[in-house]
Amino acid sequence: MKRTTGQDRSITRNWRPATRAVRAGTWRSEQGETSEALFLTSGYCYDDAETAAMRFRGEDPGMTYSRLQNPTVAMLEERIAMMDGAEACRVQASGMAAMTAALLSQLSAGDHVVAGRAAFGSCRWLVDQLFPRFGIEGTTIDARDNAQWEAAIRPNTKVFFFETPANPTMDIVDLKFVCDLAKSRGITTVVDNAFATPALQRPIEWGADVVAYSATKLMDGQGRVLAGAVSGSADFINNVLLPFQRNTGPNLSPFNAWVVLKGLETLDLRIQRQSENALKVGRFLEGRVPRINHPGLPSHPQHDLAMRQMDAAGSIFSFELEGGRAQAHGLLDALQLIDISNNIGDSRSLMCHNASTTHYSVSAEAREEMGVSEGMLRLNVGLEDPDDLIEDLDQALKAVGL
Ligand SMILES: *Cc1c(COP(=O)(O)O)cnc(C)c1O
């Protein structure tokens, strides 16, 4: 296996994001294949016993076991690291495996975490339910408010953890302010960048330490596999994350890594088109529904900040109906093209009622506090013709009296 011509960092460093998404991290075998090879192997053989011993001592660069290294997985890790502008990346079996590894690998009993309160349900579960069992305290705040970050810091605060845009409220966090504040106080920032992906937002450029993904979403982009990724400095990835990951084993299978590599080839194209489609559908819904949370629309209270940090607003937004759960469920049941699904980032348009699905595990009080109302619906806009989506929404809105 060797890296392809031009994989030398002095050349790839100058590549723009779309080029990195297609080309970065390609290794080729002696067959010279154009598409990345799929190495479905759990182990590796050695020419002699001493080579095996050298590999385990780290004195020979070859691979030893797929919980530790795999060529297809390594290609994906190199590609995502380059897309993020990070020194290194490791991939995991799902977005939640990535979040858990990114956080637990660096936290110990007695540490304190400050987290954005508007977050994916399982991310909230880590902070609210899991960490306290191990003596890790958490404070959840309105992450849109810079003053709350500062006020929540304690002497033992180790990590700031947040999503921007947040799932599903579409709250935006001021990356530069929060990352600068963390740096000045010796706190590590962990940014869940699933909604934007490195195609639209690169938190490391704004000073973030660690970027984590559900690659299940836009990186795969076609609703096929679960995957996760964590990018950061070589020191963090190799000395903090890797010992945790190698010994606890939340590995991504080579097959799923290969699927995500194929997904990344079209990420830029898909996310640009899906962002355009989501804006068109959002403009249609604005005025038809009482409230829409779309960072690409000037009506979003943080529109300017979002557009400073992101190259486009992405495929996902939410909106709220006044008729609560009954009206929201009624609208879902009236859809004829858009599917009822809690997945996002897919090339198909999908809609869900978060309070009864993705945020079901979060208490009703926490849902209310984070802004996940009973009338909220989240829409992932896919690659269909947006006029067909608008017609579907129009008939479904009429069916519930809107
Ligand atoms: C989906 C999602 C996750 C979890 O990812 P999985 O791949 O489903 O484990 C975490 N954070 C955000 C923001 C998500 O949307």
Side-chain angles (χ1 to χ4, degrees), residues 59-251:
E59 292 164 10
D60 183 282
M63 303 194 169
T64 56
Y65 187 56
S66 281
R67 179 154 44 76
L68 312 184
Q69 318 94 355
N70 174 280
T72 310
V73 171
M75 286 191 251
L76 177 62
E77 292 173 337
E78 236 177 88
R79 185 168 299 173
I80 296 175
M82 289 217 51
M83 291 172 72
D84 269 326
E87 288 172 358
C89 166
R90 290 287 160 175
V91 293
Q92 296 79 21
S94 69
M96 284 322 300
M99 301 307 152
T100 306
L103 293 164
L104 271 190
S105 64
Q106 59 178 316
L107 290 167
S108 303
D111 288 339
H112 174 243
V113 178
V114 182
R117 71 185 179 202
F120 184 64
S122 297
C123 294
R124 273 298 297 256
W125 186 87
L126 293 181
V127 176
D128 295 345
Q129 307 288 331
L130 182 70
F131 294 170
R133 283 171 42 199
F134 299 95
I136 301 160
E137 298 174 300
T139 304
T140 49
I141 59 162
D142 181 344
R144 295 168 295 186
D145 180 357
N146 290 346
Q148 291 195 26
W149 285 102
E150 193 144 20
I153 297 174
R154 297 185 196 162
N156 59 339
T157 303
K158 186 90 185 278
V159 166
F160 280 176
F161 176 46
F162 59 92
E163 301 168 12
T164 181
N167 187 359
T169 57
M170 307 308 289
D171 289 356
I172 307 292
V173 178
D174 185 336
L175 280 168
K176 177 146 178 35
F177 176 87
V178 175
C179 295
D180 282 353
L181 172 66
K183 262 206 175 73
S184 73
R185 308 291 280 269
I187 296 164
T188 303
T189 38
V190 178
V191 183
D192 180 341
N193 197 35
F195 271 40
T197 83
L200 297 185
Q201 172 173 273
R202 290 162 298 280
I204 287 177
E205 291 175 0
W206 299 95
D209 298 304
V210 179
V211 187
Y213 293 97
S214 170
T216 312
K217 312 295 168 56
L218 284 138
M219 285 187 173
D220 168 25
Q222 288 153 80
R224 300 168 293 193
V225 298
L226 293 183
V230 180
S231 296
S233 68
D235 179 45
F236 175 79
I237 297 294
N238 297 328
N239 301 326
V240 180
L241 182 88
L242 206 49
F244 178 91
Q245 177 160 338
R246 286 180 157 184
N247 295 300
T248 59
N251 298 61

Side-chain angles (χ1 to χ4, degrees), residues 190-320:
V190 178
V191 183
D192 180 341
N193 197 35
F195 271 40
T197 83
L200 297 185
Q201 172 173 273
R202 290 162 298 280
I204 287 177
E205 291 175 0
W206 299 95
D209 298 304
V210 179
V211 187
Y213 293 97
S214 170
T216 312
K217 312 295 168 56
L218 284 138
M219 285 187 173
D220 168 25
Q222 288 153 80
R224 300 168 293 193
V225 298
L226 293 183
V230 180
S231 296
S233 68
D235 179 45
F236 175 79
I237 297 294
N238 297 328
N239 301 326
V240 180
L241 182 88
L242 206 49
F244 178 91
Q245 177 160 338
R246 286 180 157 184
N247 295 300
T248 59
N251 298 61
L252 181 62
S253 90
F255 180 77
N256 289 0
W258 180 83
V259 172
V260 178
L261 276 167
K262 297 296 102 188
L264 289 179
E265 287 181 9
T266 56
L267 173 64
D268 191 71
L269 201 59
R270 286 185 282 104
I271 209 164
Q272 298 298 341
R273 175 65 78 90
Q274 285 179 251
S275 294
E276 277 171 33
N277 289 357
L279 258 185
K280 192 162 179 187
V281 172
R283 287 197 189 101
F284 161 77
L285 281 174
E286 194 161 43
R288 255 317 257 290
V289 295
R291 185 185 160 98
I292 178 164
N293 311 306
H294 189 316
L297 293 173
S299 61
H300 189 289
Q302 297 172 291
H303 172 68
D304 292 343
L305 174 63
M307 293 300 99
R308 245 192 340 269
Q309 298 180 169
M310 302 169 74
D311 299 335
S315 67
I316 305 150
F317 64 88
S318 59
F319 58 97
E320 290 165 66

